[in-house]
Amino acid sequence: MPEERIKKILSLLEKAYPDAKLVLHYKNPLELLVATILAAQCTDERVNKVTEILFKKYQTAKDYANTKPEVFEQEIRSTGFYRNKAKNVIACCKELVGKFNGKVPDNTEDLVTLPGVGRKTANVLLGNVFGKQAIAVDTHVLRISRRLELAKSNDPDKVEAELCKVIPQGKWTRSCLVLGTHGRRTCIARKPLCSVCVVEKLCNSADKTYGSK
Ligand code: SF4
């Protein structure tokens, strides 16, 4: 039964990664929103280094909305694509100030209207700071879902819809964190560590490798 297989996979992964959580550092919805925008095409570790300094200077949406783009660009430069990211963060925070009283909205409809915010970022926020069930499909979740045949599509939004059908709603947020952690630690992109993988027996991926650790 496919449901039984998925249940088993998620249970084994949960046991393997009880400490699964977001790698990005944040203390409130605004910090997670900014960190997630900066994390596009960048490692979470690099973003954490940048935000450690950034979050001391910028504490409200108004702080970001009022900053000079050329100053902000240099502050986030090492995260890559810094001009575009600066543009998005500043525009996004202007919208927060103008339309949402400076607060990050807690629903998908409003979140996806913000510059630089797509379904993935919206779901990261909903699941991790607003206590809702949401599946955020990042590069790791996408890869693992395909390798473990939980989803077929290559499109993150379609994979989200596929995962929502096969994972019980009460486990959406947690499953996503667990799949992402599996992707970072074991089922890595170039050379997955299949010899130490807890779901190896349930995996039919053509990407399996059998070398040493
Ligand atoms: S067996 Fe290998 S490819 Fe399959 S999920 Fe595990 S690490 Fe990934």
Side-chain angles (χ1 to χ4, degrees):
M1 291 283 286
E3 294 82 9
E4 280 306 309
R5 180 176 169 275
I6 290 161
K7 211 170 142 190
K8 182 116 201 235
I9 287 172
L10 292 176
S11 152
L12 287 167
L13 292 178
E14 178 60 56
K15 271 191 204 124
Y17 312 112
D19 58 337
K21 60 176 184 155
L22 287 187
V23 176
L24 291 173
H25 294 166
Y26 63 95
K27 291 191 297 298
N28 54 53
L30 180 64
E31 288 190 354
L32 184 55
L33 173 59
V34 172
T36 309
I37 292 175
L38 297 184
Q41 312 287 321
C42 181
T43 65
D44 290 349
E45 290 76 12
R46 161 62 48 196
V47 172
N48 287 340
K49 282 204 178 109
V50 170
T51 57
E52 191 181 344
I53 298 163
L54 204 68
F55 291 162
K56 285 185 186 134
K57 178 172 174 188
Y58 300 93
Q59 289 170 8
T60 66
K62 208 170 165 188
D63 294 339
Y64 292 100
N66 291 337
T67 192
K68 286 198 173 78
E70 59 274 22
V71 171
F72 194 68
E73 282 174 8
Q74 293 313 312
E75 289 168 332
I76 63 161
R77 191 182 175 111
S78 66
T79 67
F81 302 95
Y82 61 94
R83 286 209 176 90
N84 206 30
K85 288 179 185 177
K87 204 170 110 199
N88 280 335
V89 170
I90 293 169
C92 178
C93 288
K94 280 186 177 161
E95 291 268 309
L96 291 182
V97 172
K99 293 191 183 157
F100 300 101
N101 203 20
K103 299 258 184 294
V104 179
D106 65 354
N107 63 82
T108 308
E109 295 70 31
D110 289 335
L111 281 167
V112 295
T113 66
L114 298 168
V117 177
R119 287 196 66 85
K120 187 202 83 178
T121 301
N123 286 335
V124 167
L125 285 157
L126 292 178
N128 294 281
V129 290
F130 293 124
K132 304 197 177 177
Q133 292 298 334
I135 291 184
V137 180
D138 66 5
T139 177
H140 300 294
V141 173
L142 181 75
R143 183 176 71 258
I144 308 314
S145 300
R146 287 173 51 83
R147 281 180 174 168
L148 283 169
E149 302 168 286
L150 307 178
K152 290 196 174 87
S153 178
N154 240 328
D155 175 87
D157 290 353
K158 288 187 183 149
V159 169
E160 180 197 337
E162 288 186 76
L163 292 179
C164 285
K165 280 192 199 143
V166 297
I167 297 175
Q169 188 169 2
K171 293 185 187 291
W172 285 356
T173 301
R174 184 67 198 159
S175 301
C176 218
L177 292 172
V178 166
L179 289 171
T181 304
H182 183 53
R184 280 196 171 82
R185 296 188 193 164
T186 308
C187 193
I188 48 186
R190 291 219 175 145
K191 197 170 181 226
L193 305 173
C194 305
S195 61
V196 294
C197 173
V198 294
V199 291
E200 192 272 330
K201 285 191 173 56
L202 295 159
C203 176
N204 302 311
S205 174
D207 297 337
K208 270 192 182 185
T209 59
Y210 296 94
S212 56
K213 279 198 222 177

